[in-house]
């Protein structure tokens, strides 16, 4: 069935098929609204459109090798998952915390703003300010744009954020949080991270208070 349908594709469509498969396996997500840095506008991602048209065929091929794709037509996200849960990426503590904060920012902005795009614009100074406001325990490092660089690169490579301008190494990046962030981490883990951060901050406040009281005695 797959072979018959695939052979019906034109040469150009077969090339688009290969590009789409490779993109999904490498980046995990295809987002509909893609920011064009040259024209400074959002455009429809041609890979997303192709995947829409050939969704069943692409999904059939991927299922053969143990993957499947899902499509969110409201957010405009096509996400890849492994049938055997083998394609999960283990990320370090800093990247996990960053992902958590970006998810909070995304949800907050989408609920409060009337912007038409599914992405949310942000700068590194705003990100750092938000992390401090949420008392995110970024232990062992001075919280700065440069200290976030490695994690931001990782998320950009996975189509979770899209850089607009600036340099990761300089720590002055502006970027869009893409709607794929809603699929990058599940709600149960978000809740678990929120509880863990609250616990750490509560224990820190207790230690600080204890030191203060001890000093007064």
């Amino acid at each position: 069935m797959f072979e018959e349908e695939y052979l019906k594709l034109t040469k150009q469509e077969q090339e688009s098929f290969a590009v789409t498969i490779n993109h999904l396996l490498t980046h995990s997500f295809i987002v509909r609204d893609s920011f064009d840095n040259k024209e400074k506008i959002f455009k429809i991602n041609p890979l997303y459109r192709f995947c829409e048209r050939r969704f069943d065929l692409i999904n059939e091929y991927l299922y053969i090798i143990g993957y499947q794709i899902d499509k969110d037509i409201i957010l405009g996200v096509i996400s890849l998952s492994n049938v055997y849960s083998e394609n999960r990426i283990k990320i370090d503590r800093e990247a996990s915390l960053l992902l958590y904060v970006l998810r909070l920012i995304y949800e907050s902005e989408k609920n409060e703003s009337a912007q038409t795009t599914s992405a949310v614009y942000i700068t590194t100074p705003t990100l750092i300010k938000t992390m401090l406001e949420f008392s995110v325990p970024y232990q062992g490092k001075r919280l700065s744009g440069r200290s976030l660089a490695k994690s931001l690169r990782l998320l950009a490579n996975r189509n979770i954020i899209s850089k607009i301008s600036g340099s990761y190494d300089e720590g002055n990046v502006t970027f869009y949080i893409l709607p794929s962030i809603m699929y990058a981490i599940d709600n149960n883990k978000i809740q678990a991270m929120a509880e863990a951060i609250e616990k750490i901050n509560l224990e820190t406040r207790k230690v600080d208070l204890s030191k203060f009281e001890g000093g007064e005695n």
Side-chain angles (χ1 to χ4, degrees):
M1 181 65 179
F2 165 77
E3 185 177 2
E4 292 177 5
E5 293 300 316
Y6 176 79
L7 292 175
K8 292 178 183 178
L9 300 178
T10 65
K11 290 294 184 182
Q12 184 177 355
E13 286 178 319
Q14 289 179 3
E15 182 176 351
S16 296
F17 182 91
V19 171
T20 301
I21 295 295
N22 277 277
H23 186 93
L24 283 166
L25 291 173
T26 303
H27 303 289
S28 302
F29 300 103
I30 294 178
V31 180
R32 179 184 58 214
D33 301 320
S34 177
F35 186 75
D36 188 314
N37 270 306
K38 290 184 178 180
E39 299 186 27
K40 303 301 179 184
I41 59 172
F42 277 94
K43 292 183 175 181
I44 302 298
N45 186 343
L47 286 184
Y48 183 91
R49 283 292 182 238
F50 178 81
C51 205
E52 271 193 321
R53 292 196 306 271
R54 301 295 181 179
F55 186 87
D56 291 339
L57 185 63
I58 292 171
N59 201 34
E60 185 178 353
Y61 173 81
L62 287 169
Y63 193 79
I64 294 172
I65 58 174
Y67 289 85
Q68 66 180 36
I69 51 174
D70 295 289
K71 178 173 60 177
D72 186 327
I73 60 174
I74 296 176
L75 289 177
V77 176
I78 292 172
S79 56
L80 177 75
S81 60
N82 188 275
V83 176
Y84 309 105
S85 299
E86 294 290 341
N87 69 324
R88 297 183 183 277
I89 298 174
K90 292 183 178 180
I91 57 178
D92 59 26
R93 182 178 182 278
E94 286 76 18
S96 298
L97 291 171
L98 177 60
L99 190 60
Y100 167 75
V101 174
L102 289 175
R103 168 75 178 264
L104 293 180
I105 294 172
Y106 183 86
E107 289 185 304
S108 175
E109 288 295 319
K110 294 305 293 181
N111 289 333
E112 296 176 4
S113 70
Q115 60 180 330
T116 56
T117 62
S118 57
V120 169
Y121 175 85
I122 190 171
T123 65
T124 44
T126 301
L127 173 59
I128 292 168
K129 179 175 180 289
T130 304
M131 294 182 78
L132 293 173
E133 288 174 350
F134 280 102
S135 299
V136 174
Y138 210 69
Q139 297 173 347
K141 291 184 179 180
R142 179 177 174 273
L143 186 56
S144 67
R146 289 184 178 181
S147 67
L148 296 171
K150 178 183 175 182
S151 299
L152 288 173
R153 281 194 182 96
L154 172 66
L155 300 186
N157 185 55
R158 286 289 162 177
N159 282 350
I160 296 171
I161 66 170
S162 177
K163 191 179 83 168
I164 303 169
S165 63
S167 165
Y168 291 118
D169 295 327
E170 295 294 328
N172 59 351
V173 176
T174 62
F175 58 94
Y176 279 103
I177 308 172
L178 302 177
S180 48
I181 197 166
M182 298 300 292
Y183 292 89
I185 183 170
D186 63 44
N187 293 329
N188 291 333
K189 289 186 178 180
I190 284 287
Q191 183 60 36
M193 290 182 71
E195 292 172 357
I197 289 172
E198 178 59 28
K199 181 179 179 181
I200 290 171
N201 290 331
L202 181 60
E203 291 174 352
T204 301
R205 286 194 292 271
K206 286 181 178 179
V207 170
D208 290 342
L209 181 59
S210 175
K211 289 180 178 179
F212 176 77
E213 291 175 344
E216 287 294 299
N217 291 334

